Every structure is written in structure tokens, then in C-alpha cells.
Amino acid sequence: TLNSQLSILILSLIIHSCVEPAPQIPANKLEESHITEDLMLLNKSFAALENEEIEHYIDSLKLDMSQTSTGLRYKIINEGNGNSFQKKDNVTFSYSIRTLDGTECKEMKNVTTTIELGKNEIERGIEEAVMLLKVSGKGQFIIPSHLAFGVSGYKNCIPPWMSVLCEINIIESKLNR
């Protein structure tokens, strides 16, 4: 009957209201090892997905690229002349960057800059790419997000966590050895 169903419902509500919910642990109170493990798992998952995306891009365009231990993909078009670069060398080069979907960033098209290698004056992937070339060298590089613009992206043209395609031409260098 309706009265018995209503009585059961009221009794259920009373019983459930007396039971305390399980305590919630705020994120800042979790053990550091727990947070570290979760972040490492998240990073590995993202890196695997990004790697698949890069491999699909390379396969779909039938590109012949090599890979460094950091995940930078490269194709040397012209190795260049002279000695390989080392940290503390000053290198002048031009570069253009676009996303893998072809979106160009006007602020990163035919940019010429001079950097001292090893001083973190430019994204790690670009510096690593420069060190694969010599004076007058030219190459194409796919730079994964962790070596490019990472979580912040770049202004309105490179979204966060985006791999980029970079073309580099070495103009000159001053070897500081």
C-alpha cells in the first residue's frame, strides 16, 4: 500500500541521513608519491598518444626521418660544412615553425636569430635540432610538445601540447672552444 511504501521511504531517508559519508581527502593532503605516480602515468599516456600522432603524420606523408633519444624527429637536407656545434658556440640561423596540420605562425616564419648553445635561449627541441647541423646546413624537424612550447603553447598560433614542424637553415657560427 501507499502508506507502507511511504513509511519505508521515510525510514530509508532517516537511516541514510545518520550514516556519515566517507571522508574526502583534499588533493593537497595526498601523499607526494601518490601524486607523482599519477602525474608520471598521465605524462607517459600523453607522450604515447603524441608519439602515435607524430608516427601517423610521418607515415601518411611517407617521410624518411630519424629520431633522437629525446623524441625529436629529423631529416638532414644538407649537413653543412665544418665542425659540429657544441655548447657555448654562438650560432645564427633562420627557422620557420608550423603545426602538423599545416597552420603557420606568422611570427615564426623565416625568423633569424643568434643564440649561445646551452644557455636555454630558445626551446630545447630547436637547440637540439641546431646541434645536428653545421654551417650552411639545413634540416626538417618534428619537435614534440615537451621539447617545443609545452603546456603554454605560443600566443595564438601554437596551441598547448602541440607538436610542431620546424625547418632550420644555419647561417653562421662563432665557435667558442
Coordinates of all heavy atoms in Angstrom, one line a residue, residues 88-172:
K88 N 78.1 26.5 -25.8 CA 78.8 27.8 -25.7 C 79.1 28.4 -27.1 O 79.6 29.5 -27.2 CB 80.1 27.7 -24.9 CG 79.9 27.4 -23.5 CD 81.1 27.6 -22.6 CE 80.7 27.3 -21.2 NZ 81.9 27.6 -20.3
D89 N 78.9 27.6 -28.2 CA 79.0 28.2 -29.6 C 77.9 29.1 -29.8 O 76.8 28.9 -29.4 CB 79.0 27.1 -30.6 CG 80.3 26.2 -30.6 OD1 81.3 26.6 -30.0 OD2 80.2 25.1 -31.2
N90 N 78.2 30.2 -30.5 CA 77.1 31.2 -31.0 C 76.8 30.8 -32.4 O 77.6 30.7 -33.2 CB 77.6 32.6 -30.9 CG 77.8 33.1 -29.5 OD1 76.9 33.1 -28.7 ND2 79.0 33.5 -29.1
V91 N 75.5 30.6 -32.6 CA 75.0 30.1 -33.9 C 73.9 31.1 -34.4 O 73.0 31.4 -33.6 CB 74.5 28.7 -33.9 CG1 74.0 28.2 -35.2 CG2 75.5 27.7 -33.3
T92 N 74.0 31.5 -35.6 CA 73.0 32.3 -36.3 C 72.3 31.4 -37.3 O 72.9 30.8 -38.1 CB 73.6 33.6 -37.0 OG1 74.3 34.3 -36.0 CG2 72.5 34.4 -37.6
F93 N 70.9 31.4 -37.2 CA 70.2 30.6 -38.1 C 68.8 31.2 -38.3 O 68.3 32.0 -37.6 CB 70.0 29.1 -37.5 CG 69.4 29.1 -36.1 CD1 68.0 28.8 -36.0 CD2 70.1 29.3 -35.0 CE1 67.4 28.8 -34.8 CE2 69.5 29.3 -33.7 CZ 68.1 29.0 -33.6
S94 N 68.2 30.7 -39.4 CA 66.8 31.1 -39.6 C 65.9 29.8 -39.4 O 66.4 28.7 -39.7 CB 66.6 31.7 -41.0 OG 66.9 30.7 -42.0
Y95 N 64.7 30.1 -39.1 CA 63.8 28.9 -38.9 C 62.3 29.4 -39.1 O 62.0 30.5 -39.0 CB 63.9 28.3 -37.5 CG 63.5 29.2 -36.3 CD1 62.2 29.1 -35.8 CD2 64.4 30.1 -35.8 CE1 61.8 29.9 -34.7 CE2 64.0 30.9 -34.7 CZ 62.7 30.8 -34.2 OH 62.3 31.6 -33.1
S96 N 61.5 28.4 -39.5 CA 60.1 28.6 -39.6 C 59.4 27.4 -38.9 O 59.9 26.3 -39.0 CB 59.7 28.5 -41.1 OG 60.2 29.6 -41.8
I97 N 58.3 27.7 -38.2 CA 57.6 26.7 -37.5 C 56.1 26.8 -37.9 O 55.5 27.8 -38.0 CB 57.7 27.0 -35.9 CG1 59.1 26.7 -35.5 CG2 56.7 26.1 -35.2 CD1 59.4 27.0 -34.1
R98 N 55.5 25.5 -38.0 CA 54.1 25.4 -38.2 C 53.6 24.2 -37.4 O 54.4 23.3 -37.1 CB 53.7 25.4 -39.7 CG 54.3 24.2 -40.4 CD 53.8 24.1 -41.8 NE 54.2 22.8 -42.4 CZ 54.9 22.6 -43.4 NH1 55.3 23.6 -44.1 NH2 55.1 21.4 -43.8
T99 N 52.3 24.1 -37.2 CA 51.8 22.9 -36.6 C 51.7 21.7 -37.6 O 51.8 22.0 -38.8 CB 50.4 23.1 -36.0 OG1 49.5 23.5 -37.1 CG2 50.4 24.2 -35.0
L100 N 51.5 20.5 -37.1 CA 51.5 19.4 -38.0 C 50.3 19.4 -39.0 O 50.3 18.8 -40.0 CB 51.5 18.1 -37.3 CG 52.8 17.8 -36.4 CD1 52.7 16.4 -35.8 CD2 54.0 18.0 -37.2
D101 N 49.3 20.2 -38.6 CA 48.1 20.3 -39.5 C 48.3 21.4 -40.6 O 47.4 21.7 -41.4 CB 46.8 20.6 -38.7 CG 46.7 21.9 -38.1 OD1 47.6 22.8 -38.2 OD2 45.7 22.2 -37.4
G102 N 49.5 22.0 -40.6 CA 49.9 23.0 -41.6 C 49.7 24.4 -41.2 O 50.0 25.3 -42.0
T103 N 49.1 24.7 -40.0 CA 48.9 26.1 -39.6 C 50.2 26.8 -39.4 O 51.1 26.3 -38.6 CB 48.1 26.1 -38.3 OG1 46.9 25.4 -38.5 CG2 47.8 27.5 -37.9
E104 N 50.4 27.9 -40.1 CA 51.6 28.7 -39.9 C 51.4 29.7 -38.9 O 50.4 30.3 -38.8 CB 52.0 29.3 -41.3 CG 52.6 28.3 -42.2 CD 53.3 28.9 -43.5 OE1 53.2 30.1 -43.6 OE2 53.9 28.2 -44.2
C105 N 52.5 30.0 -38.2 CA 52.5 31.1 -37.2 C 53.3 32.2 -37.9 O 54.5 32.1 -38.1 CB 53.2 30.6 -35.9 SG 53.2 31.9 -34.6
K106 N 52.7 33.4 -38.2 CA 53.4 34.4 -38.9 C 54.6 34.9 -38.1 O 55.6 35.3 -38.7 CB 52.4 35.6 -39.1 CG 51.3 35.3 -40.1 CD 50.4 36.5 -40.3 CE 49.2 36.1 -41.2 NZ 48.2 37.2 -41.3
E107 N 54.5 34.9 -36.8 CA 55.6 35.4 -36.0 C 56.8 34.4 -36.0 O 57.8 34.7 -35.5 CB 55.1 35.6 -34.6 CG 54.1 36.7 -34.5 CD 53.5 36.9 -33.1 OE1 54.2 36.4 -32.1 OE2 52.4 37.4 -33.0
M108 N 56.6 33.2 -36.5 CA 57.6 32.2 -36.5 C 57.9 31.7 -38.0 O 58.3 30.6 -38.2 CB 57.2 31.0 -35.7 CG 57.0 31.4 -34.3 SD 56.7 29.9 -33.3 CE 57.7 30.3 -31.9
K109 N 57.8 32.6 -38.9 CA 58.1 32.3 -40.3 C 59.3 33.1 -40.7 O 59.3 34.3 -40.6 CB 56.9 32.6 -41.2 CG 57.1 32.2 -42.6 CD 55.9 32.3 -43.5 CE 56.3 31.8 -44.9 NZ 55.1 31.5 -45.7
N110 N 60.3 32.4 -41.2 CA 61.6 33.0 -41.6 C 62.2 33.9 -40.5 O 62.6 35.0 -40.8 CB 61.4 33.7 -42.9 CG 61.0 32.8 -44.0 OD1 61.5 31.7 -44.1 ND2 60.1 33.2 -44.8
V111 N 62.2 33.4 -39.3 CA 62.8 34.2 -38.2 C 64.3 33.9 -38.2 O 64.8 32.8 -38.4 CB 62.3 33.7 -36.8 CG1 63.0 34.4 -35.7 CG2 60.8 33.9 -36.8
T112 N 65.1 35.0 -38.1 CA 66.6 34.8 -38.0 C 67.0 35.2 -36.6 O 66.6 36.3 -36.1 CB 67.3 35.7 -39.0 OG1 66.9 35.2 -40.3 CG2 68.8 35.5 -38.9
T113 N 67.8 34.4 -35.9 CA 68.2 34.7 -34.6 C 69.6 34.1 -34.3 O 70.1 33.3 -35.1 CB 67.2 34.0 -33.5 OG1 67.5 34.5 -32.2 CG2 67.3 32.5 -33.6
T114 N 70.3 34.6 -33.3 CA 71.6 34.2 -32.9 C 71.4 33.7 -31.4 O 70.9 34.5 -30.6 CB 72.7 35.2 -33.0 OG1 72.7 35.6 -34.4 CG2 74.0 34.7 -32.5
I115 N 71.9 32.5 -31.1 CA 71.8 32.1 -29.7 C 73.2 31.5 -29.3 O 74.0 31.1 -30.1 CB 70.8 31.0 -29.5 CG1 71.1 29.7 -30.3 CG2 69.4 31.5 -29.8 CD1 70.2 28.5 -30.0
E116 N 73.4 31.5 -28.0 CA 74.6 30.8 -27.5 C 74.0 29.4 -27.0 O 73.2 29.3 -26.1 CB 75.2 31.5 -26.3 CG 76.4 30.7 -25.7 CD 77.1 31.4 -24.6 OE1 77.1 32.7 -24.6 OE2 77.6 30.7 -23.7
L117 N 74.5 28.3 -27.6 CA 74.0 27.0 -27.3 C 74.3 26.7 -25.8 O 75.4 27.0 -25.3 CB 74.7 26.0 -28.2 CG 74.4 26.1 -29.7 CD1 75.2 25.2 -30.6 CD2 72.9 25.9 -30.0
G118 N 73.3 26.0 -25.2 CA 73.5 25.6 -23.8 C 73.0 26.6 -22.8 O 73.0 26.4 -21.6
K119 N 72.5 27.7 -23.3 CA 72.0 28.8 -22.4 C 70.5 28.9 -22.3 O 70.0 29.8 -21.7 CB 72.5 30.2 -22.8 CG 74.0 30.4 -22.5 CD 74.1 31.7 -21.8 CE 75.5 31.8 -21.3 NZ 75.7 33.1 -20.8
N120 N 69.8 27.9 -22.9 CA 68.3 27.9 -22.8 C 67.7 29.2 -23.3 O 66.7 29.7 -22.8 CB 67.8 27.6 -21.4 CG 68.3 26.3 -20.9 OD1 68.3 25.3 -21.7 ND2 68.7 26.2 -19.7
E121 N 68.2 29.7 -24.4 CA 67.7 30.9 -25.0 C 66.6 30.7 -26.0 O 66.0 31.6 -26.5 CB 68.9 31.7 -25.7 CG 69.9 32.1 -24.8 CD 71.1 32.8 -25.5 OE1 71.3 32.6 -26.7 OE2 71.9 33.5 -24.8
I122 N 66.3 29.4 -26.3 CA 65.3 29.0 -27.2 C 64.8 27.6 -26.8 O 65.4 27.0 -26.0 CB 65.8 29.0 -28.7 CG1 64.7 29.1 -29.7 CG2 66.8 27.8 -28.9 CD1 65.2 29.6 -31.1
E123 N 63.7 27.2 -27.4 CA 63.1 25.9 -27.0 C 64.1 24.8 -27.2 O 64.9 24.8 -28.1 CB 61.9 25.6 -27.8 CG 60.6 26.4 -27.4 CD 60.7 27.9 -27.6 OE1 61.5 28.3 -28.6 OE2 60.1 28.7 -26.9
R124 N 64.1 23.8 -26.3 CA 65.1 22.7 -26.3 C 65.1 22.0 -27.6 O 66.2 21.6 -28.0 CB 64.8 21.7 -25.1 CG 65.3 22.1 -23.8 CD 65.1 21.1 -22.8 NE 64.5 19.8 -23.2 CZ 64.0 18.9 -22.5 NH1 64.0 19.1 -21.2 NH2 63.5 17.8 -23.0
G125 N 64.0 21.7 -28.2 CA 64.0 21.0 -29.4 C 64.6 21.7 -30.6 O 65.3 21.1 -31.4
I126 N 64.5 23.0 -30.6 CA 65.1 23.8 -31.6 C 66.6 23.8 -31.4 O 67.4 23.6 -32.4 CB 64.6 25.3 -31.7 CG1 63.1 25.3 -32.0 CG2 65.4 26.2 -32.6 CD1 62.4 26.6 -32.0
E127 N 67.1 24.0 -30.2 CA 68.5 23.9 -29.9 C 69.1 22.5 -30.3 O 70.2 22.5 -30.9 CB 68.8 24.2 -28.4 CG 70.2 24.3 -28.1 CD 70.5 24.9 -26.8 OE1 70.0 25.9 -26.4 OE2 71.3 24.3 -26.0
E128 N 68.4 21.5 -29.9 CA 68.8 20.1 -30.3 C 69.0 20.0 -31.8 O 69.9 19.4 -32.3 CB 67.9 19.1 -29.7 CG 68.3 17.7 -29.9 CD 67.4 16.6 -29.3 OE1 66.4 17.0 -28.6 OE2 67.5 15.5 -29.7
A129 N 68.0 20.5 -32.5 CA 68.0 20.4 -34.0 C 69.2 21.2 -34.5 O 69.9 20.7 -35.4 CB 66.7 21.0 -34.5
V130 N 69.4 22.4 -34.0 CA 70.6 23.2 -34.5 C 71.9 22.4 -34.3 O 72.8 22.4 -35.2 CB 70.7 24.5 -33.7 CG1 72.0 25.2 -34.0 CG2 69.5 25.4 -34.2
M131 N 72.0 21.7 -33.2 CA 73.2 20.9 -32.9 C 73.4 19.7 -33.8 O 74.5 19.2 -33.9 CB 73.3 20.5 -31.4 CG 73.4 21.8 -30.5 SD 73.6 21.4 -28.8 CE 75.3 20.9 -28.8
L132 N 72.4 19.4 -34.6 CA 72.6 18.3 -35.6 C 73.1 18.8 -36.9 O 73.4 18.0 -37.8 CB 71.2 17.6 -35.8 CG 70.6 16.8 -34.6 CD1 69.2 16.4 -34.9 CD2 71.5 15.6 -34.3
L133 N 73.2 20.1 -37.0 CA 73.7 20.7 -38.3 C 75.0 21.3 -38.2 O 75.6 21.4 -37.1 CB 72.6 21.7 -38.8 CG 71.2 21.2 -39.0 CD1 70.2 22.3 -39.2 CD2 71.2 20.2 -40.2
K134 N 75.5 21.8 -39.3 CA 76.8 22.6 -39.3 C 76.5 23.9 -40.1 O 75.4 24.0 -40.7 CB 77.9 21.8 -40.0 CG 78.2 20.5 -39.3 CD 79.2 19.7 -40.0 CE 79.4 18.3 -39.3 NZ 80.3 17.4 -40.0
V135 N 77.5 24.7 -40.3 CA 77.3 26.0 -41.0 C 76.8 25.6 -42.5 O 77.3 24.7 -43.1 CB 78.6 26.8 -41.1 CG1 78.4 28.0 -42.0 CG2 79.0 27.3 -39.7
S136 N 75.8 26.4 -42.9 CA 75.2 26.2 -44.2 C 74.3 24.9 -44.2 O 73.7 24.6 -45.3 CB 76.2 26.1 -45.4 OG 76.9 27.3 -45.5
G137 N 74.1 24.3 -43.1 CA 73.2 23.1 -43.0 C 71.8 23.5 -43.0 O 71.4 24.6 -42.7
K138 N 71.0 22.5 -43.4 CA 69.5 22.7 -43.5 C 68.9 21.4 -43.1 O 69.3 20.3 -43.5 CB 69.1 23.1 -44.9 CG 67.6 23.4 -45.1 CD 67.3 23.8 -46.5 CE 65.8 24.1 -46.6 NZ 65.4 24.6 -47.9
G139 N 67.8 21.5 -42.3 CA 67.1 20.3 -41.9 C 65.6 20.6 -41.6 O 65.2 21.7 -41.4
Q140 N 64.8 19.5 -41.6 CA 63.4 19.5 -41.2 C 63.3 18.7 -40.0 O 63.9 17.6 -39.9 CB 62.5 18.9 -42.3 CG 62.4 19.7 -43.6 CD 61.5 19.0 -44.6 OE1 61.4 17.8 -44.6 NE2 60.8 19.9 -45.3
F141 N 62.5 19.2 -39.0 CA 62.4 18.6 -37.7 C 61.0 18.6 -37.2 O 60.2 19.5 -37.4 CB 63.2 19.4 -36.7 CG 64.7 19.5 -37.1 CD1 65.0 20.6 -37.9 CD2 65.6 18.6 -36.8 CE1 66.4 20.8 -38.4 CE2 66.9 18.8 -37.2 CZ 67.3 19.8 -38.0
I142 N 60.6 17.5 -36.6 CA 59.3 17.4 -35.9 C 59.7 17.4 -34.4 O 60.4 16.5 -34.0 CB 58.5 16.1 -36.3 CG1 58.1 16.2 -37.8 CG2 57.2 16.1 -35.4 CD1 57.4 14.9 -38.3
I143 N 59.2 18.4 -33.8 CA 59.5 18.6 -32.4 C 58.3 18.3 -31.5 O 57.3 19.0 -31.6 CB 60.0 20.1 -32.1 CG1 61.2 20.4 -33.1 CG2 60.5 20.3 -30.7 CD1 61.6 21.9 -33.0
P144 N 58.4 17.3 -30.7 CA 57.3 17.0 -29.8 C 57.1 18.1 -28.8 O 58.0 18.9 -28.5 CB 57.7 15.7 -29.1 CG 59.1 15.5 -29.3 CD 59.5 16.4 -30.5
S145 N 55.9 18.2 -28.2 CA 55.5 19.4 -27.4 C 56.4 19.5 -26.2 O 56.7 20.7 -25.8 CB 54.0 19.2 -26.9 OG 53.9 18.1 -26.1
H146 N 56.9 18.4 -25.6 CA 57.8 18.6 -24.4 C 59.1 19.2 -24.7 O 59.8 19.7 -23.9 CB 58.0 17.3 -23.7 CG 58.8 16.3 -24.4 ND1 58.3 15.4 -25.4 CD2 60.2 16.0 -24.3 CE1 59.3 14.7 -25.8 NE2 60.4 15.0 -25.2
L147 N 59.5 19.3 -26.0 CA 60.7 20.0 -26.5 C 60.4 21.3 -27.1 O 61.3 22.0 -27.5 CB 61.5 19.1 -27.4 CG 62.0 17.7 -26.9 CD1 62.6 16.9 -28.0 CD2 63.0 18.0 -25.8
A148 N 59.1 21.6 -27.3 CA 58.7 22.8 -28.0 C 58.1 23.8 -27.1 O 58.7 24.3 -26.2 CB 57.8 22.5 -29.2
F149 N 56.8 24.0 -27.2 CA 56.1 25.0 -26.4 C 55.3 24.5 -25.2 O 54.6 25.2 -24.5 CB 55.3 25.9 -27.3 CG 56.1 26.5 -28.4 CD1 56.2 26.0 -29.7 CD2 56.9 27.7 -28.1 CE1 57.0 26.5 -30.6 CE2 57.7 28.2 -29.1 CZ 57.8 27.6 -30.4
G150 N 55.3 23.1 -25.0 CA 54.7 22.5 -23.9 C 53.2 22.9 -23.5 O 52.4 23.1 -24.4
V151 N 53.0 23.1 -22.2 CA 51.6 23.3 -21.8 C 51.2 24.8 -22.1 O 50.0 25.0 -22.1 CB 51.5 23.1 -20.3 CG1 51.7 21.7 -19.9 CG2 52.4 24.0 -19.5
S152 N 52.1 25.7 -22.3 CA 51.7 27.1 -22.6 C 51.4 27.4 -24.0 O 50.6 28.3 -24.3 CB 52.8 28.0 -22.1 OG 54.0 27.8 -22.7
G153 N 51.9 26.6 -25.0 CA 51.8 26.9 -26.4 C 52.5 28.2 -26.7 O 53.4 28.6 -25.9
Y154 N 52.1 28.8 -27.8 CA 52.8 30.1 -28.1 C 51.7 31.0 -28.7 O 51.2 30.8 -29.8 CB 53.9 29.9 -29.2 CG 54.6 31.1 -29.5 CD1 55.6 31.7 -28.7 CD2 54.3 31.8 -30.7 CE1 56.3 32.8 -29.0 CE2 55.0 33.0 -31.0 CZ 56.0 33.5 -30.1 OH 56.6 34.7 -30.4
K155 N 51.5 32.1 -28.0 CA 50.5 33.1 -28.3 C 49.2 32.4 -28.9 O 48.7 31.5 -28.3 CB 51.1 34.1 -29.3 CG 52.3 34.8 -28.6 CD 52.8 36.0 -29.4 CE 53.9 36.6 -28.7 NZ 54.5 37.7 -29.4
N156 N 48.7 32.9 -30.0 CA 47.5 32.3 -30.6 C 47.8 31.4 -31.7 O 46.8 30.9 -32.4 CB 46.6 33.4 -31.0 CG 46.0 34.2 -29.9 OD1 45.8 33.6 -28.8 ND2 45.8 35.5 -30.0
C157 N 49.0 31.0 -32.0 CA 49.3 30.2 -33.2 C 49.8 28.8 -32.9 O 49.6 27.9 -33.7 CB 50.3 30.9 -34.1 SG 51.9 31.4 -33.3
I158 N 50.4 28.5 -31.7 CA 50.7 27.2 -31.4 C 49.9 26.8 -30.1 O 50.2 27.3 -29.0 CB 52.3 27.0 -31.1 CG1 53.1 27.6 -32.2 CG2 52.6 25.6 -30.8 CD1 53.1 26.8 -33.5
P159 N 49.0 25.9 -30.2 CA 48.2 25.5 -29.1 C 49.0 24.7 -28.0 O 50.1 24.2 -28.4 CB 47.1 24.6 -29.6 CG 47.1 24.8 -31.1 CD 48.5 25.3 -31.5
P160 N 48.6 24.7 -26.8 CA 49.3 23.9 -25.8 C 49.4 22.4 -26.2 O 48.5 21.9 -26.9 CB 48.4 24.0 -24.5 CG 47.6 25.3 -24.8 CD 47.4 25.4 -26.2
W161 N 50.4 21.8 -25.8 CA 50.7 20.4 -26.0 C 50.7 20.0 -27.5 O 50.2 19.0 -27.9 CB 49.7 19.5 -25.3 CG 49.7 19.6 -23.8 CD1 48.7 20.2 -23.1 CD2 50.7 19.3 -22.9 NE1 49.1 20.2 -21.7 CE2 50.3 19.6 -21.6 CE3 52.0 18.7 -23.1 CZ2 51.1 19.4 -20.5 CZ3 52.8 18.5 -22.0 CH2 52.3 18.8 -20.7
M162 N 51.2 20.9 -28.4 CA 51.2 20.7 -29.8 C 52.6 20.4 -30.3 O 53.6 21.1 -30.1 CB 50.7 21.9 -30.5 CG 50.6 21.9 -32.0 SD 49.5 20.6 -32.6 CE 47.9 21.3 -32.2
S163 N 52.7 19.3 -31.1 CA 54.0 19.0 -31.8 C 54.1 20.0 -32.9 O 53.1 20.4 -33.5 CB 54.0 17.6 -32.3 OG 53.8 16.7 -31.3
V164 N 55.3 20.3 -33.3 CA 55.5 21.3 -34.4 C 56.5 20.8 -35.4 O 57.3 20.0 -35.1 CB 55.9 22.7 -33.9 CG1 54.8 23.3 -33.0 CG2 57.2 22.6 -33.1
L165 N 56.3 21.3 -36.7 CA 57.3 21.1 -37.7 C 58.1 22.3 -37.9 O 57.6 23.4 -37.9 CB 56.5 20.8 -39.0 CG 57.3 20.5 -40.3 CD1 58.1 19.2 -40.1 CD2 56.5 20.4 -41.5
C166 N 59.5 22.1 -37.9 CA 60.4 23.2 -37.9 C 61.4 23.0 -39.0 O 62.0 21.9 -39.1 CB 61.1 23.3 -36.6 SG 62.2 24.7 -36.4
E167 N 61.7 24.0 -39.8 CA 62.7 24.0 -40.8 C 63.8 25.0 -40.4 O 63.5 26.1 -40.0 CB 62.2 24.4 -42.2 CG 61.2 23.4 -42.7 CD 60.7 23.7 -44.1 OE1 61.1 24.6 -44.7 OE2 59.8 22.9 -44.5
I168 N 65.0 24.5 -40.4 CA 66.1 25.3 -39.9 C 67.2 25.4 -40.9 O 67.6 24.4 -41.6 CB 66.7 24.7 -38.6 CG1 65.7 24.7 -37.5 CG2 68.0 25.4 -38.2 CD1 66.1 24.1 -36.2
N169 N 67.8 26.6 -41.1 CA 68.9 26.9 -42.0 C 70.0 27.6 -41.2 O 69.8 28.7 -40.6 CB 68.5 27.8 -43.2 CG 67.5 27.2 -44.1 OD1 67.8 26.2 -44.7 ND2 66.3 27.8 -44.1
I170 N 71.2 27.0 -41.1 CA 72.3 27.6 -40.4 C 73.0 28.6 -41.2 O 73.3 28.3 -42.4 CB 73.3 26.5 -39.9 CG1 72.6 25.4 -39.1 CG2 74.4 27.2 -39.1 CD1 72.0 25.8 -37.8
I171 N 73.1 29.8 -40.7 CA 73.7 30.9 -41.5 C 75.2 31.0 -41.2 O 76.1 31.0 -42.1 CB 73.0 32.2 -41.2 CG1 71.5 32.1 -41.7 CG2 73.7 33.4 -41.9 CD1 70.6 33.2 -41.2
E172 N 75.6 31.1 -39.9 CA 77.0 31.3 -39.5 C 77.1 30.9 -38.0 O 76.1 30.7 -37.3 CB 77.5 32.7 -39.7 CG 76.8 33.7 -38.9 CD 77.4 35.1 -39.2 OE1 78.2 35.3 -40.1 OE2 76.9 36.1 -38.5

